Amino acid sequence: MVNLAPTPDTNSVGGGGARKDEASVKVPSKDPKKKDDKKKDDLSEEDLELKQNLELYVERLQDPNPDLQRAALESMRNACPISSLSWPLPCLPRESLSYRLIGTKGDIGSWGHEYVRNLAGEIVQEYTKRQSEEAPIDDLMELVQQIVAFHMKHNAETEAVDLLMDVEDLDLLLEHVDKTNFKRTCNYLTTAAKYLPGPDDMLVLDISYMIYMKFEEYPNALQIAVFLDNTQYVKQVFTSCADLLRKKQFCYMIARHGITFELDDEMVADEDDREALQDIVNNTKLSEGYLTLARDIEVMEAKTPEDIYKAHLLDGRASSGASVDSARQNLAATFVNAFVNAGFGQDKLMTVPSDSTTGSSGNWLFKNKEHGKISAAASLGMIQLWDVEGGLAQLDKYFHSNDNPILSGALLGVGIVNCGIKSDCDPALALLGDYLDKEDSSVRIGAIMGLGIAYAGSQNDQLSLILNDAKAPLDVIAFASLSLGMIYVGSCNEEVAQSIIFALMDRSEAELGDALTRFLPLGLGLLYLGKQESVEATAEVSKTFNEKIKKYCDMTLLSCAYAGTGNVLKVQDLLAQCGEHLEKGDIHQGPAVLGLAMVAMSEELGIDMEIRSLERMLQYGEQNIRRAVPLALGLLCISNPKVTVMDTLSRPSHDTDSEVAMVRIAQGLVHMGKGLLTLTPFHSERFLLSPTALAGIVILLHACLDMKPIILGKYHYVLYFLVLAMQPRMMLTVDKDLKPLSVPVRVGQAVDVVGQAGRPKTITGFQTHSTPVLLAAGERAELATDKYIPLSPILKGFIILEENADYREE
């Protein structure tokens, strides 16, 4: 091979053999321009030497001998990798790619990161061009393989994922992930899924699931399986994992999501073990854990409504509520008492002993009039929330009452007590089933609502709520639609959908103008909650409905189907509806405003953008839109108050037509569970959205679109639908026997570390506490000891701790 190394040359300043003092001497240039002299002065000694060598190689490239040309090219390539150059290289469109395809196939990384990034960009452009021309892409995919391998080895997982998304070959990731980078890769994939259109978002999550399964990271795989609503994937996680303790943690995760799931002998072979795990899935330990938290932070003492109103602090202003009807005040106090003492099993209105000087539950019950007794009796179910055995014993005495509103409230209370708790003996169905065909509509509604709340999300086919009963009044039909929507939420069940559609078509012109009629389209929408395109066939049918309800149904179906998806196109459709100037009788803009919040609520950027849009509507929108804006803002920031939103809501809160009762109920919700409960439908660090929780919230919001005839009328018990979203905001650590185990944990503000280099801290501004602890919105916990290993990647709810075999006491 011809040696092309530069040799000392008196005519070559800064050549390979030049001494340091010779290289620094300024040589007079033949060119009279001074620019070249200045350029030489700007270069370092190394760059000047490199420049002289390159000029020599370029000169020898002109030689007619092919061997000499090849050697000159090779020497040039070795002399100047891209990463060592200190001046920019001009690139024509896809020129790097062209040279790479026709040149030598050396190590792609030897030219440095910038070269590889540039090449990846050109590959994407070329790939798009060839796809449109249906040209072969094999040579491009060969380069993609090399680039992905390079990125994955050099902590650039995000760039590898972006490239594979652009060339539609994410399966390639499975070949290149290893134990050092799979977590960072999957974190980026699951975050990116929020911003991708369907079906790409599902494909990305599918790849994440496969990667997690490959490295036996089963809890993360289970989260994705639950998100995808894929029962087979959930089953695969159980069958792939042999550790019984980890399976118990899986059961806690499923229970938190609120879905009905039956374990079989393939998932858990031993019958006793399977029964113990099914109890966890059925949430039977929820009440026990919640009360453990309450005792630990010393909030077990019951609170009265007056404690919440803080009336003693109002001085002379307390008399301003004297004009309000005492029955309405008592009804408000019933709700406040129920929400504040929810799940504690004791209060000072409904559970006091009968011989107490302060009165008894019967005394308080009869301080409410007519339909007010329904909510009062049902409040006992809220106070005994999640304690099925204790709650049913307390409610039993009301089943013998001849007063229909009290019986109705007891039936509703049975459903509330059983909310989120599953049982093999089905006590709710056994108690409520006999009351579905009673003559009194309030009793039927109590049973129907109770079944809907108790079996929300279960798709229980034993429930035969007949919507086509010609004699049934509208309110019974409306609540039956809601209950079916809750029981079959997100199932896309065609039979249920058809029965609601027929019931809606059978309504008379007068009934279509009733406020309760809005519950029929909502029950239909809940069937498709979060299922996107699956709603299209039903949406087409809804266009044949009566004009009075057609648009309302259309907006409700759209907002439910795309709830939590962040779909920008659907947000634009809903905004367009809100921008129209309509006649007074049109009511469909209300659900359109709620739909904006429902679609955008899944991620922070969408929430911030939607808050700005809603603030504009509050300023410039018409009255029917402005009434819905506070509800939408509340949904976007549920259990996560933001100062800017609270300032926005303070303006309409001073309206003269506000009801004292509603203000007091709002106070009850603020103090719900004495601060131990949350209403947010999101969990697992906002990755998962519980369909049953969102269903309960959305039902109440739709009822609030027309408050006077519903919540301020005789259907105030609609407020109890919120129980579907109520969950303890706790972290409770347990040992292998599922007994509470107190350990130190750090609790701080969560930090988004997706795509960040190295091992950044996941929380900031933390404080150290001992479990159990309360976690506020946006907070994250991590263990402050190495003695135990948590079996869940997300420390919220019930967390099983395993002893660390490598731990040594200091």
Side-chain angles (χ1 to χ4, degrees):
M1 184 170 175
V2 181
N3 183 15
L4 289 177
T7 54
D9 190 343
T10 53
N11 296 324
S12 176
V13 178
R19 293 197 307 272
K20 185 176 179 181
D21 55 344
E22 291 175 343
S24 62
V25 175
K26 292 185 180 178
V27 179
S29 173
K30 295 179 183 177
D31 190 343
K33 293 179 181 177
K34 294 182 180 178
K35 285 184 182 177
D36 290 342
D37 290 341
K38 188 177 180 184
K39 207 176 277 184
K40 284 182 183 178
D41 289 342
D42 288 344
L43 295 177
S44 66
E45 290 182 17
E46 292 80 5
D47 284 349
L48 188 61
E49 183 177 346
L50 179 60
K51 182 174 181 291
Q52 297 291 346
N53 291 345
L54 288 174
E55 287 174 350
L56 179 63
Y57 298 146
V58 170
E59 184 181 331
R60 292 180 180 176
L61 275 173
Q62 315 304 318
D63 195 286
N65 184 348
D67 292 337
L68 197 64
Q69 289 178 352
R70 191 177 295 107
L73 277 172
E74 189 64 28
S75 299
M76 187 183 294
R77 189 180 73 83
N78 292 334
C80 58
I82 291 291
S83 57
S84 69
L85 295 180
S86 57
W87 61 87
L89 291 178
C91 274
L92 296 174
R94 297 199 285 285
E95 193 171 18
S96 297
L97 176 61
S98 300
Y99 287 137
R100 181 74 198 179
L101 291 174
I102 62 175
T104 54
K105 312 293 184 185
D107 177 20
I108 204 163
S110 63
W111 291 81
H113 283 272
E114 285 304 321
Y115 170 76
V116 175
R117 286 193 189 103
N118 180 71
L119 189 61
E122 293 186 8
I123 286 172
V124 172
Q125 294 173 10
E126 182 66 21
Y127 175 86
T128 306
K129 179 174 176 289
R130 292 194 192 181
Q131 285 290 87
S132 62
E133 298 170 353
E134 298 185 0
I137 55 170
D138 295 346
D139 52 346
L140 295 181
M141 297 313 294
E142 187 181 335
L143 285 177
V144 168
Q145 279 264 19
Q146 297 175 42
I147 292 173
V148 169
F150 174 80
H151 280 325
M152 296 300 283
K153 287 176 183 174
H154 293 85
N155 302 317
E157 301 89 355
T158 55
E159 294 178 40
V161 170
D162 288 343
L163 174 59
L164 290 175
M165 283 184 185
D166 287 330
V167 298
E168 300 170 322
D169 193 13
L170 267 177
D171 292 339
L172 200 59
L173 267 180
L174 290 164
E175 300 175 23
H176 295 283
V177 286
D178 58 36
K179 286 186 177 181
T180 64
N181 59 31
F182 81 94
K183 286 186 180 178
R184 286 164 51 84
T185 302
C186 288
N187 278 345
Y188 184 67
L189 284 170
T190 51
T191 304
K194 295 178 183 177
Y195 302 97
L196 292 171
D200 292 350
D201 54 347
M202 297 296 114
L203 174 65
V204 165
L205 291 172
D206 217 49
I207 297 295
S208 300
Y209 171 82
M210 292 178 192
I211 293 173
Y212 279 134
M213 291 298 289
K214 179 180 177 180
F215 292 98
E216 300 182 358
E217 198 75 14
Y218 297 125
N220 298 90
L222 179 64
Q223 280 189 336
I224 293 174
V226 171
F227 184 95
L228 294 171
D229 197 15
N230 190 321
T231 309
Q232 288 304 313
Y233 277 2
V234 174
K235 189 173 180 178
Q236 188 180 10
V237 171
F238 274 91
T239 54
S240 301
C241 179
D243 188 340
L244 184 65
L245 204 56
R246 280 172 168 71
K247 289 184 180 182
K248 289 180 180 179
Q249 186 66 66
F250 302 161
C251 292
Y252 278 126
M253 295 167 70
I254 291 172
R256 173 61 184 90
H257 194 57
I259 58 175
T260 301
F261 187 75
E262 293 291 330
L263 299 167
D264 58 31
D265 54 3
E266 193 178 342
M267 289 184 264
V268 186
D270 184 83
E271 188 175 347
D272 291 339
D273 290 339
R274 185 165 64 251
E275 195 172 315
L277 265 64
Q278 190 66 56
D279 280 347
I280 299 174
V281 172
N282 292 347
N283 247 337
T284 54
K285 302 291 184 184
L286 182 58
S287 176
E288 186 182 319
Y290 177 61
L291 292 176
T292 299
L293 170 70
R295 291 189 193 99
D296 188 81
I297 59 178
E298 299 177 353
V299 293
M300 280 299 293
E301 186 182 352
K303 285 185 178 290
T304 64
E306 283 69 29
D307 295 334
I308 305 305
Y309 303 154
K310 293 183 172 57
H312 61 285
L313 299 177
L314 295 176
D315 300 323
R317 289 174 289 172
S319 60
S320 62
S323 60
V324 179
D325 177 27
S326 61
R328 186 170 287 263
Q329 280 186 323
N330 289 344
L331 183 59
T334 294
F335 282 111
V336 171
N337 182 64
F339 285 119
V340 171
N341 296 297
F344 286 92
Q346 57 183 356
D347 74 323
K348 294 184 179 178
L349 297 182
M350 295 296 295
T351 60
V352 287
S354 57
D355 59 348
S356 170
T357 55
T358 57
S360 67
S361 58
N363 289 344
W364 180 256
L365 198 59
F366 290 101
K367 286 183 180 179
N368 292 274
K369 293 181 180 178
E370 299 173 3
H371 51 76
K373 295 175 188 173
I374 299 176
S375 290
S379 72
L380 191 56
M382 184 70 84
I383 293 160
Q384 300 287 344
L385 182 61
W386 304 319
D387 180 10
V388 176
E389 191 175 334
L392 294 181
Q394 291 266 9
L395 287 162
D396 181 64
K397 56 181 176 285
Y398 297 133
F399 276 83
H400 308 292
S401 172
N402 294 322
D403 195 338
N404 282 334
I406 293 177
L407 176 58
S408 175
L411 295 169
L412 176 53
V414 168
I416 293 170
V417 164
N418 282 275
C419 181
I421 313 297
K422 314 295 186 298
S423 174
D424 293 336
C425 61
D426 278 336
L429 185 62
L431 286 168
L432 303 179
D434 295 338
Y435 294 91
L436 292 174
D437 54 359
K438 295 293 181 183
E439 285 186 22
D440 186 83
S441 61
S442 69
V443 173
R444 292 182 74 180
I445 290 171
I448 288 168
M449 266 187 76
L451 286 170
I453 291 172
Y455 292 96
S458 69
Q459 300 183 34
N460 192 322
D461 56 6
Q462 297 179 56
L463 301 175
S464 54
L465 301 175
I466 303 170
L467 290 173
N468 55 3
D469 181 359
K471 297 179 181 178
L474 176 62
D475 53 1
V476 171
I477 294 291
F479 281 99
S481 297
L482 285 183
S483 288
L484 281 169
M486 289 188 296
I487 292 165
Y488 290 91
V489 63
S491 68
C492 305
N493 188 294
E494 289 185 15
E495 290 182 18
V496 178
Q498 284 180 1
S499 62
I500 295 177
I501 287 169
F502 290 146
L504 197 52
M505 288 177 167
D506 287 343
R507 295 308 101 200
S508 66
E509 192 78 15
E511 286 178 322
L512 289 173
D514 194 294
L516 286 176
T517 306
R518 69 178 71 236
F519 286 160
L520 276 81
L522 180 55
L524 191 60
L526 293 178
L527 299 176
Y528 300 95
L529 194 70
K531 295 302 179 185
Q532 305 190 45
E533 292 87 358
S534 303
V535 79
E536 288 177 0
T538 304
E540 284 299 314
V541 174
S542 73
K543 291 176 181 174
T544 63
F545 292 167
N546 187 292
E547 286 295 328
K548 278 190 175 181
I549 200 70
K550 180 168 69 175
K551 283 193 173 181
Y552 191 98
C553 189
D554 196 31
M555 291 297 100
T556 303
L557 288 172
L558 174 64
S559 58
C560 286
Y562 289 89
T565 63
N567 190 304
V568 177
L569 296 177
K570 301 306 173 186
V571 169
Q572 290 174 348
D573 291 346
L574 292 165
L575 279 171
Q577 293 292 333
C578 295
E580 294 178 3
H581 295 282
L582 303 173
E583 296 177 11
K584 195 173 181 180
D586 288 312
I587 58 170
H588 71 273
Q589 287 181 319
V593 175
L594 293 181
L596 289 169
M598 290 169 67
V599 176
M601 68 190 293
S602 61
E603 44 85 27
E604 286 299 321
L605 183 60
I607 289 172
D608 290 341
M609 292 173 68
E610 208 49 59
I611 287 172
R612 292 175 65 184
S613 297
L614 290 169
E615 285 174 348
R616 297 291 179 273
M617 289 183 196
L618 200 58
Q619 283 181 301
Y620 306 113
E622 294 179 1
Q623 189 179 33
N624 57 339
I625 290 178
R626 294 208 318 275
R627 282 177 179 168
V629 167
L631 301 173
L633 287 170
L635 178 58
L636 286 172
C637 304
I638 194 163
S639 293
N640 181 21
K642 297 189 176 184
V643 176
T644 53
V645 174
M646 291 168 73
D647 288 344
T648 302
L649 290 175
S650 67
R651 296 197 298 272
S653 69
H654 298 300
D655 281 3
T656 53
D657 64 348
S658 63
E659 293 278 348
V660 173
M662 294 311 296
V663 173
R664 289 189 165 178
I665 290 170
Q667 286 180 297
L669 291 175
V670 168
H671 293 268
M672 188 174 63
K674 301 171 194 170
L676 306 192
L677 296 172
T678 179
L679 282 174
T680 179
F682 288 97
H683 63 100
S684 301
E685 295 184 352
R686 293 188 61 82
F687 179 66
L688 292 175
L689 172 63
S690 170
T692 52
L694 183 59
I697 296 166
V698 170
I699 289 171
L700 178 61
L701 294 179
H702 273 257
C704 290
L705 289 174
D706 203 351
M707 270 194 178
K708 284 191 176 178
I710 301 178
I711 294 178
L712 299 180
K714 64 177 185 177
Y715 303 104
H716 34 77
Y717 42 81
V718 167
L719 284 163
Y720 286 129
F721 278 121
L722 277 181
V723 72
L724 290 163
M726 289 162 63
Q727 285 288 334
R729 54 184 189 92
M730 66 181 182
M731 176 194 173
L732 178 66
T733 48
V734 296
D735 60 18
K736 63 181 180 179
D737 299 318
L738 309 185
K739 302 296 182 187
L741 176 65
S742 185
V743 296
V745 290
R746 290 184 285 265
V747 178
Q749 202 65 25
V751 177
D752 186 6
V753 297
V754 175
Q756 291 189 21
R759 294 183 179 178
K761 298 290 184 184
T762 57
I763 60 173
T764 183
F766 63 83
Q767 292 182 323
T768 304
H769 305 276
S770 293
T771 57
V773 294
L774 284 176
L775 296 177
E779 284 187 341
R780 185 180 288 158
E782 59 181 36
L783 285 191
T785 175
D786 294 327
K787 188 175 180 179
Y788 299 98
I789 299 171
L791 299 188
S792 170
I794 295 171
L795 302 188
K796 200 163 189 179
F798 289 88
I799 306 297
I800 300 174
L801 299 181
E802 192 175 43
E803 290 192 11
N804 186 356
D806 299 328
Y807 177 75
R808 297 289 180 271
E809 290 281 357
E810 292 182 3

